[in-house]
Amino acid sequence: MPTVIGVMNSHQPARRNKVEILLHLVWATHKRLPLLTDELERVLYRCMESEATELGCTVLALGGMPDHVHLIVALPTTVTVAKLMKQVKGVSSKLASDLLHHESFFGWDDNYAVFSMSAPHCQRAIAYVQRQKEHHTKNKTWPLWEETDREAPQSRSDFLAERP
């Protein structure tokens, strides 16, 4: 009787890659203008969360101030950071413009910041995002997590020197 090789036992669960990509993304309104009003914030946050979820991301935290947004996600391997940001920023900007009936300007800055995190650091980042307004009111922000751009280093050695 021939031996069958490679037949999966139907009682065993399917195996998959173990991947954990945890990211903290930050982006600002155009010229850091306070464009995220209380009325817009709730609607735009729902829109951003929906767009990220539709791409397969798990949204862990979303919050910000009138001039910037923080988003913490678990990113699937099938989505690039650039695709996530293009979708979230693009759709939310269009929604804001539609809601404002083009009577007021709304737009995001072109730049964004993204920080990778390990699972143990993720809870700290989530707490920071969830308490954005409190941190800003008490002037206890973490400056690195509030920046959305920087000058590009001139060389590889400059880049390495900037790293903590």
Side-chain angles (χ1 to χ4, degrees), residues 7-82:
V7 175
M8 182 189 282
N9 182 338
S10 62
H11 299 294
Q12 291 179 345
R15 304 212 24 111
R16 59 189 173 125
N17 295 328
K18 182 177 180 177
V19 177
E20 185 172 66
I21 304 170
L22 301 170
L23 301 177
H24 178 181
L25 301 119
V26 185
W27 67 97
T29 57
H30 179 70
K31 295 186 179 181
R32 286 274 183 167
L33 295 169
L35 302 176
L36 276 172
T37 62
D38 290 339
E39 299 79 30
L40 280 179
E41 181 182 274
R42 192 172 334 122
V43 176
L44 293 187
Y45 283 2
R46 276 195 305 249
C47 171
M48 292 175 211
E49 183 172 6
S50 175
E51 289 301 315
T53 301
E54 192 171 306
L55 288 171
C57 298
T58 301
V59 176
L60 303 172
L62 177 61
M65 295 298 291
D67 67 344
H68 70 278
V69 174
H70 294 259
L71 172 65
I72 298 180
V73 297
L75 189 77
T77 58
T78 56
V79 177
T80 65
V81 172

Side-chain angles (χ1 to χ4, degrees), residues 35-163:
L35 302 176
L36 276 172
T37 62
D38 290 339
E39 299 79 30
L40 280 179
E41 181 182 274
R42 192 172 334 122
V43 176
L44 293 187
Y45 283 2
R46 276 195 305 249
C47 171
M48 292 175 211
E49 183 172 6
S50 175
E51 289 301 315
T53 301
E54 192 171 306
L55 288 171
C57 298
T58 301
V59 176
L60 303 172
L62 177 61
M65 295 298 291
D67 67 344
H68 70 278
V69 174
H70 294 259
L71 172 65
I72 298 180
V73 297
L75 189 77
T77 58
T78 56
V79 177
T80 65
V81 172
K83 181 176 182 175
L84 172 63
M85 292 309 305
K86 180 179 179 183
Q87 191 71 19
V88 168
K89 288 169 68 177
V91 172
S92 61
S93 181
K94 170 82 168 84
L95 177 60
S97 294
D98 290 348
L99 290 172
L100 295 169
H101 305 292
H102 302 284
E103 295 168 8
S104 296
F105 170 79
F106 186 90
W108 298 115
D109 189 55
D110 291 338
N111 298 321
Y112 58 85
V114 59
F115 307 95
S116 60
M117 298 178 291
S118 63
H121 292 104
C122 194
Q123 289 304 318
R124 187 173 177 194
I126 289 169
Y128 181 78
V129 170
Q130 290 173 337
R131 296 181 15 226
Q132 266 294 284
K133 290 184 177 26
E134 178 185 334
H135 289 300
H136 281 271
T137 301
K138 294 180 177 179
N139 202 22
K140 293 190 176 201
T141 60
W142 298 341
L144 178 65
W145 284 3
E146 298 295 329
E147 298 172 4
T148 58
D149 61 357
R150 68 174 180 184
E151 287 188 30
Q154 299 301 312
S155 68
R156 178 171 163 71
S157 61
D158 289 345
F159 174 75
L160 294 174
E162 291 180 4
R163 300 192 67 162

